[in-house]
Amino acid sequence: MTTSPGPVPAGAEPVADAAVAAARPVSLSPSRASDFMQCPLLYRFRVIDRLPEKPSAAATRGTLVHAVLERLFDHPAEERTVPRAKSLVPGQWDRLLESKPELAELFAEDADGERLAGWLSEAEALVERWFTLEDPTRLEPVEREFFVEAELESGLRLRGIIDRVDVAPTGEVRIVDYKTGKAPRPEYAEGALFQMKFYALVVWRLKGVVPRRLQLVYLGSGEVLTYDPAMGDLERVERKLHALWEAIREATETGEWRPRPTKLCGWCDHQSVCPEFGGTPPAYPLMITPRGGEGGAPAGES
């Protein structure tokens, strides 16, 4: 299986051989941390091998809805209405297509445009539901689609993009994230909050302020999940991320990335190269350091 070199993903740096589309991790984001916790081999495929993945209609719809909600705040408060928000959907879809032409594959066999129309209507419905959960006429975000990056004392670099940051007149900070799916059951809420605690940690290390509230807005089910973190929470997250990063570093150096089969495997694009499905991963493209030894060569070349 071959891939062509492309832009280096966040959290990775290119290897010396430009002919190999591989990268060595240099930072950690919530998404990639979740990938590693879900399945180390999936992390390798996405960050190091940078294997291509097919566009997803659900994920793309989420990107579209996020863009609409971000752009709505460009308008004066009194113009932030349901009709105005829904009117932004077609234009934002056109912009998304312009920046990522490959998304047209999602509707390649939709000659009459019926599937696309239905998909856009679903996006509009999610946007409309947001108005039942928050009142945009009373919100003035300090940041939208806010890129944050902080380096911890250990040297671990954390980065991510926060959907929205609100700051109260008293200075209290609220971090908000939109989700186009349904809210998790209570027993899975902690996993859902991991991303938000990650962002809170980065903001704390950057600004010296612990966010007052973390808020997940689930447009799929019309629910809002909130959590008020304490400094101890963020310190525990920091320790967890350090342990996670050490595991990633060890796997990167040894080339030992183990698959972790779960029910989520059914949605994975990489079954053809996964041992759990009878596949063989590509030759490991980075230099490896055998345990107890020195140096090494890319796996499959020694």
Side-chain angles (χ1 to χ4, degrees), residues 1 88 166 194 204 206:
M1 182 174 191
L88 296 175
D166 302 330
F194 169 75
W204 177 38
L206 277 176

Side-chain angles (χ1 to χ4, degrees), residues 232-252:
D233 293 329
L234 305 188
E235 290 173 340
R236 284 189 289 273
V237 171
E238 189 168 13
R239 290 193 294 270
K240 179 176 182 176
L241 291 175
H242 276 126
L244 192 65
W245 188 243
E246 284 304 311
I248 290 172
R249 287 176 57 179
E250 181 177 349
T252 302

